[in-house]
Amino acid sequence: MKEANNYNSNSDDDDSEDEDDLADVPDTREYMPLDLQGLQSIGIGSSGMSGKGGSGEDGQYTMKDLQAMTMNTEDINDDDDESEEDEDEINDTKLRPSDALLVIAKTEEDYASLEINIFDTESSNLYVHHDIPLPSYPLCLALGSVVSSYYRPESNAGNNGSSGGGGVSSGNFVAVGSFEPGIEIWNLDVMNALEPTVVLGGMDIRGTEDDWMGMSAGKKKKSSKGSSGGGLRKGSHTDAIMGLSWNTVHQQVLASGSADGTVKLWDVTQCKGDYIEPSATLTHHTDKVQSLAWHPSEGTLLATGGYDRQVCLVDARSAASVASNNNNANIKKAKLLADCEAIAWDVHNQQYLTAASEDGVIQCWDVRKFGSDPVWSFVAHEYGVSDFCYNSQVPGMLITCSIDKTVALWDTRKSTPEPCGSKEMNVGKLYSVRTYPSSPWLLACGGSGNELAIWDMEGEDAIQRRFAKGSNEDSNTETAAAEKEEPDFEAIMANNETTSNKSSTSTKKKKKKKGKGKAHKRK
């Protein structure tokens, strides 16, 4: 044991001697000079030092200088990349005069959304600007340019020049109808909106948890103010929303058609508490109501079409009396041979109302003689017409689409519309087609391929020769002449009501005008 201890003590003495020897040896190691700019780029720098203030040659910093360096983010410009990214995001969301906006409803297996797409007309680039998740599969859309004097119960009194706790809201809104009985209205001017601006009808979510538990257990829920029982708000549709139309004259009025067979008129400024009741409910259809269209300039005329194979013309001023008395005498009707798929007014000849049915037939009536034979009728597609529209910028241009995957153009300035060509859009079966209101030659359609197709017709020589050269002047002349001869729509409806009343009270006059009566009541 002593030997071992002596051995250990001797080895310790040798180590101490070696350490003393190394301490006397001068440090001849060379340090690689470091640049301050490189250190600052990775977040390392010395507080209060800038330029070349190191101990190395030419004032460069060495490894020894790192001992005096601390992390310093004040003098480091790390925001360059972030600012560039922010600028790119701003440029992506900023709208330019050459951008065309398209709002579409898109569905996938377990997801539904509302997409706002941007089409750059200069570069022909199409991309999604932003999207809004939807709680249910959408069936129809309707764009409203302005909703004025919108009432928000939670807003402060006198806010934005209003009184009584209301507020004024104006902008771009879209109404969305889905398989649910409620109608959601979204503000398109707000990106990444978390909830709709307002919901018309639908489920009454104000009930307590006990109420919902009782309803799920089969117990009858007591009706409360603003609720019609059964979990729905008072005045709500009871089935899916299949058609929507904003009034272009009275811009706060929305019409809705449902699978429950009713048509409801909503004034979104008339908010009572936290819900909006419909202004009127019409029951003139006996089956699902597929489509609606307000007259472009007469704000009281509403056209509706349903699966009862009828197209109806309603005067909204008498809608309340019609709904209360269940009297359809003031509603004019025309018969179809198949279920109605879409209806539209000719904006250049506003006395013409057009309807398309699932058998592929398109018919046009003069509403001054509504209920009699149509002005023209033809088969547009063999497999049915899913949607159609008039070009608001080009008189006489009618556009149809079908599940045969094609879009067809028609010239309606003749006594019988003439075909002007068709195009397969390569997005599957087509369900919707629209023209861009700010561009006469831009057309968009959506199909079963879950994609959006855009057709720029400006480069189509055949279309340009037919519609662009000499057609505008001729159509404007014909339209002006028609407007001079066209009587007032209000006088037409009043005259028809008087005629129907006289025919029902005078049997002698009925016999003398037997042929005309049949023509008027043609079904």
Side-chain angles (χ1 to χ4, degrees):
M1 292 295 293
K2 290 182 179 180
E3 293 179 356
N5 292 333
N6 291 334
Y7 176 78
N8 291 335
S9 63
N10 292 335
S11 61
D12 293 338
D13 294 339
D14 294 340
D15 293 340
S16 62
E17 292 178 359
D18 293 340
E19 291 177 358
D20 294 339
D21 294 340
L22 292 175
D24 296 336
V25 177
D27 188 2
T28 58
R29 291 176 295 177
E30 295 182 358
Y31 298 98
M32 181 179 295
L34 301 178
D35 188 15
L36 177 61
Q37 184 177 2
L39 293 174
Q40 288 181 338
S41 66
I42 60 175
I44 300 176
S46 59
S47 176
M49 292 190 297
S50 61
K52 296 182 179 180
S55 61
E57 295 181 0
D58 298 331
Q60 292 181 338
Y61 287 91
T62 64
M63 292 296 294
K64 290 182 178 180
D65 296 324
L66 294 176
Q67 298 176 359
M69 294 183 179
T70 58
M71 299 300 295
N72 180 20
T73 59
E74 296 178 357
D75 299 332
I76 302 175
N77 189 9
D78 289 337
D79 297 334
D80 293 340
D81 296 337
E82 295 181 359
S83 61
E84 292 179 359
E85 293 178 358
D86 293 340
E87 290 180 1
D88 292 339
E89 292 180 359
I90 294 174
N91 292 331
D92 290 340
T93 57
K94 185 178 180 179
L95 300 180
R96 293 175 289 272
S98 60
D99 291 340
L101 276 70
L102 300 93
V103 182
I104 64 172
K106 191 173 183 180
T107 60
E108 297 179 0
E109 291 183 359
D110 54 353
Y111 180 75
S113 64
L114 192 68
E115 285 188 357
I116 291 82
N117 291 259
I118 300 295
F119 179 72
D120 189 348
T121 56
E122 294 180 352
S123 62
S124 298
N125 183 28
L126 178 65
Y127 62 93
V128 179
H129 187 268
H130 65 280
D131 62 346
I132 301 172
L134 296 177
S136 182
Y137 292 126
L139 293 176
C140 55
L141 300 176
L143 290 174
S145 58
V146 176
V147 177
S148 61
S149 302
Y150 179 68
Y151 180 88
R152 294 306 298 268
E154 66 272 14
S155 58
N156 296 327
N159 185 25
N160 294 331
S162 63
S163 60
V168 176
S169 177
S170 61
N172 300 294
F173 294 82
V174 59
V176 183
S178 65
F179 282 98
E180 299 295 331
I183 304 168
E184 295 184 345
I185 299 179
W186 292 85
N187 190 348
L188 296 180
D189 297 331
V190 178
M191 288 188 59
N192 303 321
L194 298 178
E195 61 181 6
T197 304
V198 66
V199 179
L200 307 178
M203 301 299 294
D204 189 353
I205 59 175
R206 297 173 299 164
T208 61
E209 184 178 358
D210 295 337
D211 294 333
W212 290 106
M213 293 296 292
M215 290 169 57
S216 61
K219 297 180 181 179
K220 187 175 180 181
K221 180 179 179 290
K222 295 182 180 179
S223 59
S224 59
K225 183 178 179 181
S227 175
S228 60
L232 295 177
R233 292 182 175 180
K234 184 178 180 180
S236 171
H237 285 291
T238 59
D239 209 332
I241 309 300
M242 302 180 66
L244 294 168
S245 178
W246 283 103
N247 194 314
T248 56
V249 178
H250 310 292
Q251 296 176 337
Q252 76 274 18
V253 177
L254 177 70
S256 61
S258 172
D260 60 12
T262 64
V263 174
K264 293 182 182 291
L265 307 182
W266 308 81
D267 185 347
V268 297
T269 64
Q270 301 299 317
C271 184
K272 298 180 180 179
D274 58 350
Y275 70 98
I276 297 177
E277 293 185 17
S279 303
T281 300
L282 304 176
T283 58
H284 55 277
H285 284 283
T286 59
D287 206 338
K288 300 179 179 67
V289 181
Q290 168 67 18
S291 53
L292 308 98
W294 286 101
H295 192 276
S297 61
E298 295 290 337
T300 61
L301 292 181
L302 174 66
T304 63
Y307 283 2
D308 56 358
R309 301 186 176 184
Q310 289 188 120
V311 175
C312 302
L313 189 61
V314 182
D315 189 345
R317 294 171 300 178
S318 60
S321 61
V322 171
S324 60
N325 300 328
N326 197 19
N327 183 9
N328 297 333
N330 295 329
I331 298 178
K332 310 306 173 186
K333 300 181 179 181
K335 192 67 176 177
L336 298 176
L337 298 177
D339 295 345
C340 181
E341 291 292 338
I343 56 176
W345 294 90
D346 187 349
V347 293
H348 303 285
N349 298 280
Q350 297 184 3
Q351 71 273 20
Y352 290 150
L353 174 64
T354 309
S357 52
E358 66 175 356
D359 58 356
V361 176
I362 293 185
Q363 301 181 62
C364 178
W365 294 271
D366 188 337
V367 294
R368 296 170 296 185
K369 304 175 183 178
F370 194 67
S372 60
D373 293 335
V375 177
W376 47 257
S377 176
F378 70 98
V379 178
H381 295 269
E382 182 180 356
Y383 295 100
V385 177
S386 53
D387 194 15
F388 77 96
C389 67
Y390 283 96
N391 193 324
S392 60
Q393 298 289 322
V394 182
M397 179 183 286
L398 176 68
I399 305 165
T400 63
C401 71
S402 172
I403 59 175
D404 61 7
K405 306 179 182 179
T406 63
V407 167
L409 304 181
W410 308 86
D411 188 352
T412 63
R413 292 171 296 178
K414 307 296 182 180
S415 58
T416 301
E418 296 179 354
C420 305
S422 62
K423 183 181 180 67
E424 186 171 349
M425 304 305 292
N426 299 318
V427 290
K429 299 177 181 178
L430 299 182
Y431 300 135
S432 179
V433 63
R434 286 295 181 271
T435 57
Y436 193 60
S438 301
S439 175
W441 310 114
L442 203 59
L443 178 151
C445 59
S448 60
N450 229 0
E451 295 180 358
L452 183 65
I454 296 178
W455 183 11
D456 190 354
M457 299 178 288
E458 189 172 3
E460 302 289 345
D461 294 336
I463 297 175
Q464 295 297 316
R465 284 195 302 268
R466 177 178 284 268
F467 291 102
K469 296 181 180 180
S471 62
N472 290 335
E473 295 180 359
D474 297 339
S475 297
N476 291 335
T477 303
E478 294 176 1
T479 304
E483 289 177 352
K484 290 181 180 179
E485 298 176 359
E486 179 183 348
D488 186 11
F489 279 100
E490 296 180 1
I492 295 171
M493 297 297 293
N495 185 32
N496 289 337
E497 292 175 9
T498 305
T499 304
S500 62
N501 292 333
K502 288 183 178 180
S503 61
S504 62
T505 56
S506 178
T507 57
K508 293 183 179 180
K509 290 183 179 181
K510 244 176 133 183
K511 292 180 180 179
K512 291 181 180 180
K513 300 180 180 181
K514 187 175 181 181
K516 292 185 179 180
K518 283 188 176 180
H520 182 72
K521 297 181 180 180
R522 178 178 176 271
K523 294 183 178 181

